Amino acid sequence: MNIFAQFEARVREALEALTRNGTLPEGLDFGRVVVEPPRDPSHGDLATNAALVLAKEAKTNPKVLGEALAQELRADPRVAEVSLAGPGFINMRLQPGVFHEVVRAVLADPAGFGRVRLPGGPVNVEYVSANPTGPMHVGHGRGAVFGDALASLLVAAGRDVTREYYINDAGAQVDVLARSAFQRYREALGEPFTIGEGLYPGDYLKPVGEALAQSHGRALLDRPEAEWLPAVRDVSVSMMMDMIRLDLAAIGIKHDVFFSERKLHESGAVGALLDDLRQRGLVYEGRLPPPKGQLPEDWEDREQTLFRTKDFGDDTDRPLLKSDGSFTYFAADIAYHREKVLRGAEEIIDVLGADHGGYVKRMQAAVKAVSDGKAVLDVKLCQLVRLLRAGEPVKMSKRAGEFVTLRDVIDEVGRDAIRFMMLFRKNDATLDFDLAKVVEQSKDNPVFYVQYAHARVRSVQRQAREAFPGADLTPASLLAEADLSPLSDSGEAEMMRLIAQYPRVIESAALAHEPHRIAFHLYEMAASLHGFWNKGKDLPQLRFVNATDRKSTWARLALVEAVRSVLADGLSLLGVSAPDEMR
């Protein structure tokens, strides 16, 4: 039950009535008309911008149009009051029975409440895609959690989603990994070894060296690098990916597809891309003008094979071949995204680190080109995570040597704290993650505050069973028995309004690709529940359980079960547990 969608339809019906009676001209576009919560809850339950956005096209005063529309809406029996505000906003206050029906809708279908069905074809969400050269760090964790929650959110909004990890197992960095692992192989055999400049120094490669020693004995020692490098590289990448998968599992991250960059090259997909672009006249030989400002060290003034990305919205055309004839990274990235399109993706979402900002426009142009405009790309950049302990920076990991691993943080504070706090800030804002604060049991710790709200409802339900032995407090029973008319306090009304907003929050968060909106809404719901609990301390008649007033108790039990259900569902979308008790 989505009251915002229902009343948006009602507003459009009213606008059509005004068109029929001549108040509005024919042919107006109602596409910008929305119904949303007013910025100030004291103004009402719903607000619409209809008069404001249509007045200019209708050649009328927005307040005059607003009053005409308000008259239409006042005729709806679900509407208690309609008022105009500002330059033409229309605020509506609904009858209490509307919100009672929302509570009943949650009780009737807890799993289905909040689910929406957005239009659109298959979506591919690529996230994490950390180089398989070592353990994941905390920054990888932010992208992992964001991507996973976004995928879950899109599923809740009715989209067909593929979760994907791109394994960067081609190129120079995996050769460096192999050379580093070879030194650990020498170490495992008792041979002299050095972790030279440019190699990976972390102890996490010791097991790789030991595995190589066990499988190859001393056979690799006397071979030239060209012979041992491929075998060592394959083992190293495989073991690094096994480690990464374990770390992802520890934080509840899952993928449907692990796509290998090396296999992309070996399959000939990059060459096939270039041939396709040539056939379509999208590639030419030419020179690029020098970039503005200081020239990059690798810039060359030479004739190159260029992709006409500028025709598709990029700032400049882009080279596809290096001076030695090999493919550029950009060419491989285009081929990879073309593979996603060929697999059926109509919407592609890449979750990347903040340092990939320059990548966005060129890849959006490339996806538009290779899909003939049938697919769109959204790149979500995740800003840095500053790891603190009681306000002081945390810099080193015993295992990785150079950075704090994600697994270190999981082991210290747990999966729930990491996931919720990674999502309690917009992805493009820097995140301060304090290891001490995220385990505090206080209002200042959002994950505790929201989980405690869920646990508090379970505590209320346990109290009710003690006060009313043998009572059936299941959602189905509460739906059948509870009379919700006693829910008249402002705190109860606030909880019901927040429950009613949940489907709209899911819809808007899915459309904007912003799962943090779910976390924010859950925190607001938790605050509302805790606030009403505190009211009951001072006013016994407002307590959730009153052994002498079964009618009010049952009404509030129905309400808090609906709150609990939404909290549990939202936490599930974020990949966070909903505990029944907090210890």
Side-chain angles (χ1 to χ4, degrees):
M1 181 179 179
N2 185 339
I3 64 170
F4 294 90
Q6 290 178 2
F7 276 89
E8 191 168 297
R10 177 67 187 91
V11 168
R12 288 170 191 265
E13 287 175 6
L15 291 170
E16 288 165 1
L18 293 177
T19 302
R20 287 193 300 272
N21 69 22
T23 303
L24 287 175
E26 297 278 353
L28 291 183
D29 179 11
F30 299 155
R32 291 184 298 151
V33 172
V34 297
V35 172
E36 58 193 356
R39 290 182 181 177
D40 184 347
S42 68
H43 291 168
D45 303 313
L46 308 174
T48 181
N49 64 348
L52 193 64
V53 299
L54 295 175
K56 185 176 180 181
E57 191 180 354
K59 297 179 181 179
T60 187
N61 183 297
K63 290 189 177 181
V64 172
L65 175 55
E67 186 52 49
L69 181 56
Q71 282 297 103
E72 290 286 333
L73 295 173
R74 288 183 183 111
D76 192 312
R78 298 170 297 174
V79 176
E81 179 185 347
V82 182
S83 61
L84 268 66
F89 282 102
I90 298 172
N91 293 319
M92 292 174 274
R93 196 174 304 281
L94 303 181
Q95 298 288 358
V98 174
F99 294 101
H100 297 168
E101 288 306 308
V102 170
V103 172
R104 293 185 181 284
V106 181
L107 298 177
D109 185 13
F113 184 78
R115 296 299 176 266
V116 295
R117 185 155 293 279
L118 295 180
V123 186
N124 181 292
V125 185
E126 180 205 331
Y127 52 106
V128 190
S129 299
N131 288 341
T133 54
M136 293 172 57
H137 57 64
V138 179
H140 294 138
R142 186 174 193 186
V145 168
F146 175 86
D148 191 62
L150 176 55
S152 296
L153 174 60
L154 290 169
V155 170
R159 302 299 299 274
D160 176 14
V161 178
T162 297
R163 304 164 188 253
E164 187 148 341
Y165 186 119
Y166 186 48
I167 306 172
N168 299 113
D169 53 357
Q173 83 277 3
V174 288
D175 289 343
V176 174
L177 172 71
R179 294 186 187 106
S180 307
F182 189 78
Q183 293 303 315
R184 295 299 186 179
Y185 163 69
R186 293 180 61 86
E187 178 186 24
L189 293 173
E191 295 290 321
F193 75 101
T194 56
I195 304 297
E197 186 176 350
L199 298 183
Y200 299 116
D203 289 348
Y204 59 85
L205 284 174
K206 284 186 176 183
V208 182
E210 292 165 1
L212 289 166
Q214 186 172 1
S215 59
H216 293 278
R218 306 181 69 83
L220 302 180
L221 287 176
D222 298 325
R223 293 183 187 176
E225 180 181 288
E227 290 186 15
W228 60 252
L229 187 69
V232 173
R233 183 177 55 209
D234 288 349
V235 171
S236 301
V237 169
S238 177
M239 291 186 68
M240 290 300 98
M241 285 306 302
D242 286 344
M243 179 176 64
I244 287 170
R245 284 185 175 96
L246 287 173
D247 288 349
L248 290 172
I251 199 172
I253 305 293
K254 57 179 181 276
H255 291 87
D256 304 311
V257 174
F258 284 84
F259 195 98
S260 164
E261 181 185 3
R262 186 187 303 177
K263 290 181 180 177
L264 179 80
H265 285 276
E266 291 173 351
S267 71
V270 190
L273 163 77
L274 191 54
D275 291 343
D276 178 58
L277 295 177
R278 279 199 171 108
Q279 289 175 10
R280 295 168 58 197
L282 298 178
V283 172
Y284 68 100
E285 302 299 317
R287 292 177 180 269
L288 288 174
K292 295 177 182 179
Q294 187 174 355
L295 291 180
E297 290 182 7
D298 61 352
W299 187 79
E300 297 176 278
D301 183 13
R302 63 179 178 86
E303 191 166 88
Q304 303 183 71
T305 301
L306 300 172
F307 178 20
R308 298 183 187 277
T309 46
K310 198 171 180 181
D311 291 353
F312 299 92
D314 197 5
D315 296 327
T316 184
D317 292 337
R318 303 284 176 178
L320 297 176
L321 295 175
K322 299 177 186 176
S323 56
D324 63 3
S326 63
F327 297 113
T328 60
Y329 290 118
F330 182 51
D333 283 343
I334 302 169
Y336 172 46
H337 284 74
R338 181 170 176 260
E339 286 290 308
K340 293 180 180 180
V341 172
L342 292 174
R343 284 185 268 139
E346 295 181 13
E347 186 174 358
I348 298 170
I349 303 171
D350 291 352
V351 179
L352 302 172
D355 56 340
H356 287 77
Y359 167 99
V360 176
K361 190 174 280 190
R362 71 188 68 173
M363 279 312 306
Q364 288 176 331
V367 168
K368 187 175 181 182
V370 299
S371 70
D372 291 325
K374 295 174 184 175
V376 294
L377 169 68
D378 184 17
V379 179
K380 307 302 290 187
L381 300 176
C382 290
Q383 275 290 350
L384 298 174
V385 178
R386 290 194 292 245
L387 198 62
L388 310 171
R389 180 176 281 107
E392 295 298 317
V394 180
K395 295 180 180 178
M396 291 288 189
S397 161
K398 294 177 182 177
R399 187 161 63 109
E402 297 177 320
F403 55 83
V404 179
T405 69
L406 177 62
R407 193 55 180 259
D408 290 336
V409 181
I410 296 171
D411 291 344
E412 181 164 342
V413 303
R415 162 180 158 177
D416 285 348
I418 293 173
R419 290 194 64 122
F420 195 92
M421 294 309 297
M422 292 288 186
L423 295 165
F424 199 62
R425 194 162 179 81
K426 195 175 178 181
N427 59 286
D428 59 4
T430 301
L431 172 67
D432 286 342
F433 190 97
D434 195 307
L435 294 166
K437 288 191 174 181
V438 299
V439 294
E440 285 181 359
Q441 295 195 351
S442 73
K443 181 182 179 181
D444 296 330
N445 176 10
V447 62
F448 168 79
Y449 197 59
V450 174
Q451 287 183 316
Y452 185 43
H454 185 274
R456 176 161 268 174
V457 174
R458 288 302 198 201
S459 174
V460 167
Q461 291 168 338
R462 288 191 292 271
Q463 292 174 27
R465 289 188 183 95
E466 291 175 6
F468 300 92
D472 184 353
L473 301 182
T474 60
S477 176
L478 291 171
L479 175 64
E481 292 188 34
D483 173 3
L484 302 184
S485 61
L487 301 177
S488 56
D489 184 81
S490 60
E492 294 164 330
E494 180 182 65
M495 282 187 276
M496 287 189 284
R497 276 198 303 271
L498 291 170
I499 294 169
Q501 288 172 18
Y502 185 60
R504 182 183 180 276
V505 171
I506 287 184
E507 181 177 28
S508 62
L511 286 169
H513 299 165
E514 293 183 345
H516 72 273
R517 298 189 188 196
I518 303 294
F520 287 5
H521 190 69
L522 297 183
Y523 186 84
E524 194 174 356
M525 289 191 70
S528 181
L529 180 93
H530 293 313
F532 192 76
W533 170 282
N534 290 331
K535 249 182 162 180
K537 288 182 180 177
D538 300 324
L539 301 170
Q541 70 272 23
L542 294 182
R543 288 175 186 167
F544 290 117
V545 178
N546 187 334
T548 61
D549 186 351
R550 192 180 190 280
K551 184 177 180 180
S552 293
T553 297
W554 249 244
R556 288 181 185 137
L557 288 175
L559 172 60
V560 296
E561 171 55 26
V563 170
R564 186 209 63 77
S565 180
V566 171
L567 288 173
D569 187 73
L571 287 169
S572 176
L573 291 180
L574 303 182
V576 178
S577 69
D580 290 344
E581 292 182 88
M582 300 288 283
R583 293 195 175 102

